[in-house]
Amino acid sequence: MPDLREQVADNDGPLHVGGLTIHLVPTPGRTGVRVTVERDARIVAKVPPDADRDALAALIRTRLAWLYAKVHPRRAEAAERPRRRFIDGEGFWYLGRSYRLKLTDDLAASFVALKNGRLHLRRDHRDTAAQALVSWYVARGRAWLPNRVHPWAWRMDVPDAGLNVRPLGYRWGSCSHLGAVNIHWAIMQLPARLIDYVLVHELAHLYHPHHTPGFWRTVGRAMTDYECLRLELDEWGAGIWLPEEEGR
């Protein structure tokens, strides 16, 4: 077997093992290693701050078969992610329904508006259409999500945490160490049932920071069909729109 040290860079950057790049995230308080494959096919390993790089490389090598099986479908999804030209007739998802884009010359109208079953975009903002649409999704999320999350927080007996809507790259949501729930604006493209799953998932993290058996029991008590919803969310994830600068 080749010496692992020949396959690991002698710096604090990513590990390169078996043709894969593993981005290391030193995490205070962590004693083990947690490896995940993000939706953009990036491999992220949360590791103890004093972890030995050679030992990490050896551990990653034992998981290569699993990583290859996860990475290749993610790369295919990223390559097929829809690109937008912001022309009449293009479809954009909102709450699980596709709305056709309509360019308008009405300068008195909002930059983006949902009217008469069409998603209206002012033609003079076509050059900045991606930013205008993201702002529209963010505003919709801030108005719609709080009323959606309150019943779940009550059912799960968790504090009514603050909720932020913002770009999160390829993550649907996250929790801050202060207990605030962060939700990706792109969630507003999903059907309501999948939005509920993401909300329940993040609320469960207020009790369980990691995906332990206790975490999944908490999710399951609130949402008995969560496993089906999790699979459906993976399918939807490949088809939602993200601006190119966020989808890289």
Side-chain angles (χ1 to χ4, degrees), residues 46 128 142 165 170 172 179 185 203 207 237:
K46 293 184 178 180
T128 56
R142 288 173 176 167
V165 181
Y170 279 91
W172 293 116
W185 61 263
L203 289 172
Y207 282 137

Side-chain angles (χ1 to χ4, degrees), residues 149-161 181 199-200 202-208 218:
V149 75
H150 292 328
W152 289 111
W154 178 83
R155 183 182 304 183
M156 297 171 69
D157 194 26
V158 298
D160 220 354
V181 174
L199 294 174
V200 167
E202 296 308 325
L203 289 172
H205 275 311
L206 296 178
Y207 282 137
H208 307 277
T218 299

